[in-house]
Amino acid sequence: MSKRNLVRGIVVVLFCSLGGYAFSLKLDNASLRERLSELAVGISAVSEIELTSSSSQLEEGAAQVKTDAETKESVVAGVETGPSEAELRSEQRREERRERMGRFIASFDDPVERMVFLDRELGEIDQRYSRFFKSLDLTEDEIEELKTVMAERNVLSLEERMKGRFYEDEDEILMMKADIDERRSNLGDALTDLIGEEGRDAMTTFRREEPYRERVDTLENSLSYTSSPISENQRTALVSAYAEVGESFQYSKDLSDRRSLRGQDVSEEDVNTFLGEMDVINGSLLVKASEVLNEDQLANLAEQQLSERMQVERRLSFQ
């Protein structure tokens, strides 16, 4: 029971008691009204005090609730605006990657570390350009010097790419590019001194034909132990034929590097079109190759093309 109801109950009881008391003693009405009026005034004052106290407590409670809510909102806002744990980890990983990149960039300016890059490039150049070096009229020392210049050019290109990604200041990037361009120009002059302009053109052609040489290598290996091996002149002519056909035709949608169709935006029509265009290229290549290969060699090339097509068809199957 609330305090207000209790006060009202007391008032009722007192009125009843006093009424009974007045009747039994036969007090006059004026005296009774006077006493009842005094009592009513006192009870009204008590009730007002109770109500005022309750109202004050409610206001204080509401103010406290509002304060607590504002405090909670402030805390939540602080959590939302601050970096999360995932963001902190991501930032830490980014800083670690940049630190590793900085160490890698510094290795280009270290003579010992730079020699490691050069040795790796020299090994690849030996493999990729061995046939080209044989076609040059150079001494062994001149060929070694040529390899070194080529390796320096490759390392310089790598240095330019890495520093371009690492540097953020525009002035620093411009200074780096100016330095790289000057060193590349000096290496170009050294290359021209060694093999001349014609040699540089031949090197450009050799580099452009590199993807086609791999396919000719496959054919050459398959014929190595037969009665019709490919000669060096045939090989050179066949590489040129591959390059001429390959560079004169573009696929509508090149799928040659696709390992599967899973997750790819490729339709069955795209595959059929690609295979049809592949047949056209292979047919054109056979016509060109017939000018330099004998019948047995040409039949072997046709079998190689058919095998490659079947592999591509299986790889790009929708089933």
Side-chain angles (χ1 to χ4, degrees):
M1 182 181 296
S2 67
K3 291 183 178 182
R4 191 168 187 175
N5 290 335
L6 180 60
V7 171
R8 289 177 177 175
I10 294 173
V11 171
V12 173
V13 172
L14 288 175
F15 267 102
C16 292
S17 299
L18 289 174
Y21 180 71
F23 179 78
S24 62
L25 294 179
K26 296 181 180 179
L27 296 173
D28 61 301
N29 289 338
S31 177
L32 180 59
R33 280 196 300 272
E34 183 181 354
R35 294 192 61 184
L36 287 174
S37 178
E38 292 174 357
L39 183 59
V41 171
I43 291 174
S44 177
V46 172
S47 179
E48 184 177 353
I49 293 172
E50 292 290 341
L51 291 175
T52 302
S53 176
S54 297
S55 176
S56 177
Q57 290 175 357
L58 288 173
E59 291 177 357
E60 291 177 0
Q64 184 63 42
V65 169
K66 182 179 180 182
T67 301
D68 292 343
E70 290 175 349
T71 301
K72 184 176 181 180
E73 288 177 0
S74 176
V75 172
V76 171
V79 172
E80 290 177 348
T81 56
S84 65
E85 185 177 350
E87 290 172 335
L88 290 174
R89 286 199 302 269
S90 178
E91 178 64 20
Q92 182 179 2
R93 287 195 294 268
R94 193 188 73 83
E95 291 177 356
E96 290 174 352
R97 285 195 300 269
R98 184 162 180 79
E99 184 179 349
R100 289 195 298 270
M101 187 71 162
R103 291 196 297 268
F104 182 76
I105 294 298
S107 64
F108 287 106
D109 300 321
D110 184 287
V112 177
E113 294 291 340
R114 193 176 187 84
M115 186 57 66
V116 174
F117 292 129
L118 289 173
D119 286 342
R120 184 184 61 189
E121 290 298 327
L122 285 169
E124 292 186 5
I125 287 171
D126 269 334
Q127 286 185 324
R128 293 169 54 189
Y129 291 89
S130 58
R131 292 180 183 274
F132 175 71
F133 295 142
K134 291 177 182 178
S135 68
L136 299 175
D137 186 19
L138 296 177
T139 65
E140 290 187 5
D141 290 340
E142 288 172 332
I143 289 177
E144 289 302 317
E145 186 178 352
L146 175 60
K147 290 178 182 178
T148 301
V149 171
M150 293 170 65
E152 282 282 5
R153 281 162 56 92
N154 291 347
V155 173
L156 194 64
S157 296
L158 176 63
E159 180 182 353
E160 182 179 23
R161 291 196 303 273
M162 294 298 101
K163 287 186 176 180
R165 296 175 185 174
F166 182 76
Y167 292 157
E168 297 178 346
D169 183 75
E170 283 296 328
D171 292 337
E172 195 173 22
I173 292 174
L174 290 175
M175 290 178 60
M176 178 272 294
K177 286 187 175 296
D179 175 61
I180 294 287
D181 289 342
E182 182 179 358
R183 286 190 282 166
R184 181 179 286 120
S185 177
N186 293 335
L187 290 171
D189 292 341
L191 193 63
T192 303
D193 291 341
L194 283 167
I195 59 178
E197 291 294 342
E198 291 184 2
R200 293 191 65 170
D201 291 341
M203 179 185 292
T204 301
T205 301
F206 188 86
R207 187 183 296 113
R208 176 175 55 84
E209 293 176 345
E210 185 172 5
Y212 308 109
R213 280 196 298 276
E214 295 178 359
R215 301 189 65 182
V216 174
D217 286 344
T218 302
L219 178 64
E220 184 180 27
N221 292 334
S222 67
L223 294 171
S224 296
Y225 301 101
T226 67
S227 58
S228 301
I230 292 181
S231 66
E232 186 63 29
N233 289 336
Q234 284 179 315
R235 187 184 190 283
T236 301
L238 192 56
V239 170
S240 298
Y242 265 101
E244 182 180 347
V245 172
E247 292 172 0
S248 64
F249 192 95
Q250 282 190 335
Y251 286 105
S252 301
K253 191 168 188 175
D254 192 354
L255 305 179
S256 55
D257 293 332
R258 305 291 179 95
R259 292 293 172 261
S260 71
L261 296 180
R262 185 175 302 172
Q264 302 288 339
D265 182 20
V266 178
S267 67
E268 188 169 357
E269 182 180 356
D270 292 333
V271 174
N272 291 335
T273 300
F274 173 75
L275 292 174
E277 292 172 345
M278 184 177 181
D279 291 338
V280 172
I281 292 176
N282 286 341
S284 298
L285 181 60
L286 285 175
V287 172
K288 286 286 184 182
S290 64
E291 300 174 2
V292 296
L293 300 179
N294 62 37
E295 290 184 1
D296 290 341
Q297 293 169 336
L298 195 63
N300 196 292
L301 175 59
E303 290 178 5
Q304 178 181 314
Q305 290 179 338
L306 180 60
S307 176
E308 289 175 353
R309 190 191 190 283
M310 292 175 63
Q311 291 176 12
V312 171
E313 193 172 1
R314 284 195 298 269
R315 192 173 71 236
L316 299 180
S317 174
F318 280 87
Q319 298 180 355

